[in-house]
Amino acid sequence: MKMASSLFIPILVLVIIVYAAYKKVNVYDSFVSGAKEGLPMVKSMFFSLLAMIFGVNIFLKSGVINYFFDFLRPLLLFINIPAEILPVAIMRPLSGSFGLALLNDMYKVYGPDSFISLLASVIQGSSDTTIYVITLYFGTIGIKKIKYALWVGLLTDLFMVIVALILVPLFF
Amino acid sequence: MINKLWVGLIVIGSLFLIITGRADVLNAQILSSGKATLELVMQIFPLVSLWLGIMNIAKESGLLLKVSKLIYPFLHRIFPEIPKGHESFGYIASNILSNMFGLGNAATPFGLKAMKSLQSLNKNKEEASHSMITFLIINTCGLCIIPTTIISLRMLYDSKDPSFITIPCFVVSFISLLFGLMIDKIWRKKDGGSK
């Protein structure tokens, strides 16, 4: 599996370049003119990312979310869900680095092969940073009205956590 | 939507910091967010340029179009609004494949390129098209065969079987992807006429 992952890029690059050379494309010029598009693209993503990172960081650093966790904890215990999972699940769509840091802490405390770490890993690995992806993709191409994108994204994230809670015990 | 979310994040966060007497955290954030964003963009920039260069070769050689045609029967059902043989299929396929192999670095440039080509089909340039939202849902589901980051973190902590999470991750993200595509379809119908 790891082999396939590390071979994917070299083979992809090789196939693209050899095929283009065979088709008599000026590969070098083509690369340079394509790469030039990178700068305007990065320029247009910067400002929307700045806005979102600023907002998310103020919210996360304020620690207000801890009160929210404390509030929900008894409820989770009531329906037999490990309360430690809550921060991982809520952070997942908000911040990639925060989520990874939480996972890191969990491995440290419970070990990477414990049930709770496994559950957290699956939640972390079965989704992406929804808010970041929306900001990055829509910000870069200048979309102002995102319509129902955020709702569908967050609902799917919630559904994913529920599926993980049901399925991971079966794998363990 | 993003507007409301942003205002909410800042107002709740700031008020809470002021009430708990930690206004200095707020001041520090104002300075450090800029730096954090710049660092992130500086990390993305060379990768985006490099992959855009390589993708341009694939485009000019006609390989991208070939892939687009090949993948059309599979993706057509998910993206009914993209015309047959459009280059965006090639970018979407590259993005999904890179994500599946756990190669986020390559997936992002492909995804951006896919969004750009979807934007060229979009009638109202300020409003997200249905195809864009569907593509976004596929991305936020993080469908992945090899979750590279988590596997390496598990290795770091001497897990007995670092790649154990691979199958559960794939199954869970696949089910949530199906769910995401389903509610996307429902919402798309509700949204109706405006494409």
Side-chain angles (χ1 to χ4, degrees), chain A residues 87-96 99 123-125 127-130 160:
Chain A
V88 180
I90 290 183
M91 285 307 172
R92 189 66 198 108
L94 273 178
S95 160
I123 288 176
Q124 182 78 18
S127 171
D128 210 323
T129 323
T130 303
M160 179 274 294

Side-chain angles (χ1 to χ4, degrees), chain A residues 53-131:
Chain A
I53 286 177
F54 179 60
V56 168
N57 274 358
I58 285 187
F59 182 74
L60 291 182
K61 291 277 159 63
S62 77
V64 71
I65 203 147
N66 292 325
Y67 285 82
F68 184 64
F69 294 155
D70 287 340
F71 175 74
L72 280 182
R73 193 157 291 146
L75 194 84
L76 287 178
L77 286 175
F78 185 69
I79 46 174
N80 242 334
I81 294 170
E84 293 89 336
I85 277 312
L86 189 65
V88 180
I90 290 183
M91 285 307 172
R92 189 66 198 108
L94 273 178
S95 160
S97 51
F98 242 79
L100 221 55
L102 283 174
L103 202 59
N104 191 53
D105 291 344
M106 257 183 174
Y107 285 2
K108 221 183 278 172
V109 178
Y110 303 102
D113 295 312
S114 62
F115 171 70
I116 188 106
S117 295
L118 236 93
L119 187 56
S121 311
V122 171
I123 288 176
Q124 182 78 18
S126 307
S127 171
D128 210 323
T129 323
T130 303
I131 305 278

Side-chain angles (χ1 to χ4, degrees), chain A residues 35-64:
Chain A
K36 269 184 193 155
E37 281 178 56
L39 189 60
M41 208 178 239
V42 169
K43 234 166 76 185
S44 55
M45 77 174 64
F46 178 78
F47 304 99
S48 42
L49 274 182
L50 176 67
M52 198 44 81
I53 286 177
F54 179 60
V56 168
N57 274 358
I58 285 187
F59 182 74
L60 291 182
K61 291 277 159 63
S62 77
V64 71

Side-chain angles (χ1 to χ4, degrees), chain A residues 17-28 30, chain B residues 57 60-61:
Chain A
I17 290 177
V18 169
Y19 183 82
Y22 166 74
K23 287 270 167 182
K24 301 204 167 45
V25 172
N26 188 333
V27 183
Y28 177 80
S30 172
Chain B
I57 299 173
E60 287 184 2
S61 69

Side-chain angles (χ1 to χ4, degrees), chain A residues 1-2 4-5 8-9 12-13 15-17 19-21 23 25-43 45-46 49-59 61-64 67 94 100 103-105 107-108 112-113 117-118 120-138 140-153 155-157 159-161 163-164 167-168 171-172, chain B residues 1-2 5-6 9-10 12-14 16-17 22 25-26 29-30 33-34 36-38 40-41 44-45 48-58 60-63 66 95 97-99 101 103 106-108 110-113 115-116 119 122 125-128 130 132-133 135-137 139-142 144-151 153-155 157-161 164-169 171-173 175-177 179-180 183-184 187-188 191 194-195:
Chain A
M1 276 304 218
K2 265 218 115 100
S5 186
F8 178 69
I9 285 195
L12 181 71
V13 171
V15 167
I16 288 174
I17 290 177
Y19 183 82
K23 287 270 167 182
V25 172
N26 188 333
V27 183
Y28 177 80
D29 284 347
S30 172
F31 176 86
V32 173
S33 68
K36 269 184 193 155
E37 281 178 56
L39 189 60
M41 208 178 239
V42 169
K43 234 166 76 185
M45 77 174 64
F46 178 78
L49 274 182
L50 176 67
M52 198 44 81
I53 286 177
F54 179 60
V56 168
N57 274 358
I58 285 187
F59 182 74
K61 291 277 159 63
S62 77
V64 71
Y67 285 82
L94 273 178
L100 221 55
L103 202 59
N104 191 53
D105 291 344
Y107 285 2
K108 221 183 278 172
D113 295 312
S117 295
L118 236 93
S121 311
V122 171
I123 288 176
Q124 182 78 18
S126 307
S127 171
D128 210 323
T129 323
T130 303
I131 305 278
Y132 166 78
V133 174
I134 287 181
T135 312
L136 181 71
Y137 283 180
F138 284 149
T140 304
I141 56 168
I143 293 289
K144 291 203 174 101
K145 274 187 76 182
I146 65 161
K147 297 207 271 197
Y148 51 93
L150 187 65
W151 292 121
V152 181
L155 255 171
T156 310
D157 286 340
F159 181 78
M160 179 274 294
V161 174
V163 173
L167 287 185
V168 173
F171 282 102
F172 191 64
Chain B
M1 194 61 61
I2 285 287
L5 174 76
W6 198 65
L9 287 173
I10 291 184
I12 295 171
S14 308
F16 193 73
L17 280 171
R22 287 180 298 146
V25 177
L26 193 65
Q29 267 319 307
I30 288 171
S33 290
T37 313
L38 194 62
L40 179 69
V41 169
I44 297 178
F45 176 41
V48 166
S49 284
L50 198 107
W51 281 111
L52 286 180
I54 289 176
M55 270 328 238
N56 198 41
I57 299 173
E60 287 184 2
S61 69
L63 187 63
K66 265 207 164 122
N95 167 269
L97 274 175
S98 322
N99 263 330
F101 281 96
L103 304 163
T108 307
F110 295 156
L112 288 167
K113 198 72 193 170
M115 272 293 180
K116 263 203 138 150
Q119 178 74 316
N122 193 6
K125 301 288 176 209
E126 292 199 341
E127 211 176 275
H130 290 163
M132 285 177 186
I133 297 176
F135 176 62
L136 210 95
I137 297 306
N139 257 276
T140 61
C141 282
C144 190
I145 310 177
I146 310 163
T148 38
T149 331
I150 300 177
I151 292 179
L153 192 67
R154 286 169 65 76
M155 279 175 163
Y157 281 94
D158 297 318
S159 161
K160 274 176 284 169
D161 183 5
F164 177 76
I165 50 146
T166 306
I167 292 168
C169 271
V171 172
V172 171
S173 59
I175 293 174
S176 73
L177 175 65
F179 173 82
I183 54 172
D184 174 53
W187 237 298
R188 181 195 281 244
D191 194 48
S194 62
K195 266 187 187 175

